[in-house]
Amino acid sequence: AAGLTLNDGVVIDEHARTSDPAIVAAGDCASKYISRYGRRVRLECVPGATDQAKLAAATLCGKSKSAVSLPWFWSDQYDLKLQIAGLNTGYDEVVLSGDPTRDRDFSCFYLRGGELLAADCINRPRDFMFSKRAITQQLPVDRAELMLGGLARS
Ligand SMILES: Cc1cc2nc3c(=O)[nH]c(=O)nc-3n(C[C@H](O)[C@H](O)[C@H](O)COP(=O)(O)OP(=O)(O)OC[C@H]3O[C@@H](n4cnc5c(N)ncnc54)[C@H](O)[C@@H]3O)c2cc1C
């Protein structure tokens, strides 16, 4: 109704601005280009909503704030802490650390051409923190090190 440009959601730029300079958008309704994945994504998650809200608030206050945004998610399901870094699409290899049939903590790392694209971490906060950084900064990763899991990294 406001005449904003739409593409699966309200199209926003890296400053949470819509096609109308007087309107910002954030959260589930907003569709943002994520350069790390080369495509537009509309996230439905709390971290995405709060990160975009900070950008929108900065824009409204005239403080241009641009951040490298990596999609990430979390959920607590009973004793399982699920933490997901990045988007696990377009991968050509999965490296598993731990045994999901036996362990209450394990991680799945998704790679493309040897580069880390995403990680699903179950009760592995250190793997999650490492993955967020490695994906954002496009750090080289070692498969053997990934398989050893978070305890191998300080
Ligand atoms: C069952 C469920 C489980 C989820 N679990 C997780 C999880 O584990 N982890 C995670 O990261 N995310 C989870 N999510 C997603 C997360 O809740 C959303 O991504 C997040 O709440 C989006 O925030 P938002 O501010 O964009 O939208 P919302 O939280 O939906 O807020 C939008 C607000 O706008 C109000 N509103 C709507 N229309 C109007 C109007 N016309 N005028 C005034 N107000 C209006 C609504 O009442 C609402 O309060 C879950 C969602 C659901 C439904």
Side-chain angles (χ1 to χ4, degrees):
L4 304 178
T5 301
L6 306 176
N7 180 352
D8 181 40
V10 178
V11 169
I12 59 168
D13 66 10
E14 68 274 22
H15 301 287
R17 291 179 300 219
T18 68
S19 55
D20 183 329
I23 302 177
V24 295
D28 282 7
C29 71
S31 163
K32 188 178 176 193
Y33 182 80
I34 300 184
S35 56
R36 182 68 181 80
Y37 297 98
R39 66 184 174 94
R40 190 164 281 287
V41 177
R42 190 176 62 78
L43 296 170
E44 293 186 26
C45 65
V46 171
T50 52
D51 286 352
Q52 290 172 4
K54 288 175 191 167
L55 291 174
T59 296
L60 291 175
C61 294
K63 296 178 183 171
S64 183
K65 180 178 172 166
S66 186
V68 178
S69 61
L70 180 75
W72 64 277
F73 316 88
W74 60 262
S75 193
D76 289 334
Q77 303 289 328
Y78 298 93
D79 64 326
L80 298 178
K81 180 176 281 299
L82 318 179
Q83 292 173 302
I84 299 168
L87 302 176
N88 64 356
T89 56
Y91 57 88
D92 56 26
E93 183 182 359
V94 178
V95 174
L96 186 60
S97 173
D99 179 355
T101 64
R102 190 196 60 205
D103 303 333
R104 300 299 282 172
D105 68 289
F106 59 93
S107 294
C108 290
F109 299 98
Y110 302 85
L111 296 91
R112 183 176 61 213
E115 193 175 282
L116 190 61
L117 279 185
D120 297 337
C121 308
I122 314 301
N123 286 340
R124 289 270 188 100
R126 294 176 74 180
D127 281 5
F128 171 70
M129 293 309 292
F130 165 80
S131 299
K132 258 181 92 177
R133 192 161 50 86
I135 298 166
T136 307
Q137 299 176 13
Q138 295 182 259
L139 300 176
V141 291
D142 181 277
R143 287 171 184 75
E145 193 184 337
L146 290 179
M147 288 178 78
L148 285 172
L151 290 176
R153 290 181 287 270
S154 56

